[in-house]
Structures are given as structure tokens and as C-alpha cells.
Amino acid sequence: MAGRLSFTVGFLIVASVGLLHGACAASTYTVGDDLGWTVPKNSSYYEEWASQKTFQIGDSIVFNSTTGDHTATEVDTREEYDNCTKMGIIVKVGAGVQKTFDRNATLYYLCSEGTHCEQGQKMIVKVGDGIAPSFAAPSLAAAAAAAASALFFSTLAIYFLN
Ligand SMILES: [Cu+2]
């Protein structure tokens, strides 16, 4: 009985550490990799770069420009993005502007300098499923996490009581 108990508890600990590790493994991506954030030769360069990544909550992107003046401007809608509308939160990019994702969303970034956006310095970033949560969603997720946690500890307690 003791052997089986420690095996079960050990398995549960290994399983939960694995889950925690998966949930906390945040990645940081440099936009455009070695090219950085600049006017690309290929106008679809950044859209392709972003579409090949899988971004999750907790991940970060870093806009990094070593030459020229550039901004990391987040616009609100697809229409503004398509039209290179230069309104939004404008951040001048030097050696690293970081954005960390705190919720699922579809985000539109462009450079507001000159015609850089028209030349392809723009990208669409999908975090998670790309759909922003409603106000109810976070509390549901928290409730589910609390329930899972309660189940885990009550399972442990049952094993210890036996
Ligand atoms: Cu630019």
C-alpha cells in the first residue's frame, strides 16, 4: 500500500510540474529576426514572419531598429491596418521596444514613418486563437483553474487518508 501511495503521489507531482512548466514557458521573439524592424525588401516579409509564429499569452515581441527612424504603432482595426492609417499608440523604436501579450487578440502593427507601412513595414499578430475574450471569460477560466486545483488537492488528501 505504501509503495502504491508514493507512486501515485509521485506521478501527480510530476504531472502537475509538467503542466505548470507548459503554462509558464513564455517566449520572446525579435520581430523580423536578424533583419529587425525596418523597411523590408519583400513587402510581405513581416506578415509572413508573424504568420509562421504561434504566439501565446505571456509571450513577448521585441521591435528592434538599428538604422533609420521607425515606430511600432498599434492600430485598432484591420481597415486602419490595410490603409496604413497612422493613428494609434506610437512608440519610437530604437534598440528594443517590447510588447508582452496579456490576452488573446489580433493585433495590427505598422511603422508610421513616411511610406514605410506602404512598403511592407507592417504585420498582423494573432495571440492564441486571435479572439479577444469577453469580460466573462477570464472569471470562467479562473473558476475552472480553482476547480482543477481543488480536485487535485482533494485527490491527494484522499490518498493520504487511506
Ligand atoms: Cu519605419
Side-chain angles (χ1 to χ4, degrees), residues 25-108:
S27 302
T28 300
Y29 300 93
T30 300
V31 176
D33 297 320
D34 290 344
L35 182 64
W37 183 237
T38 187
V39 177
K41 287 199 178 77
N42 166 3
S43 64
S44 59
Y45 179 83
Y46 291 107
E47 288 182 344
E48 285 169 14
W49 179 87
S51 70
Q52 286 161 9
K53 303 282 186 286
T54 304
F55 299 107
Q56 301 295 342
I57 292 170
D59 287 351
S60 300
I61 53 174
V62 176
F63 294 90
N64 193 351
S65 300
T66 50
T67 54
D69 287 335
H70 303 285
T71 71
T73 299
E74 190 178 321
V75 295
D76 292 332
T77 65
R78 178 65 195 248
E79 192 183 7
E80 290 176 338
Y81 176 83
D82 287 340
N83 295 330
C84 286
T85 302
K86 286 150 188 170
M87 285 175 3
I89 302 164
I90 295 174
V91 181
K92 279 268 187 190
V93 173
V97 168
Q98 183 162 336
K99 161 84 184 180
T100 301
F101 306 123
D102 58 5
R103 62 190 170 94
N104 287 353
T106 299
L107 304 167
Y108 304 97

Side-chain angles (χ1 to χ4, degrees), residues 37-39 65 68-71 110-117 121:
W37 183 237
T38 187
V39 177
S65 300
D69 287 335
H70 303 285
T71 71
L110 54 85
C111 176
S112 66
E113 291 286 338
T115 57
H116 294 187
C117 176
Q121 196 178 0

Side-chain angles (χ1 to χ4, degrees), residues 121-141:
Q121 196 178 0
K122 62 194 308 201
M123 66 172 182
I124 300 170
V125 170
K126 273 194 176 171
V127 183
D129 59 7
I131 299 167
S134 68
F135 285 108
S139 56
L140 272 178

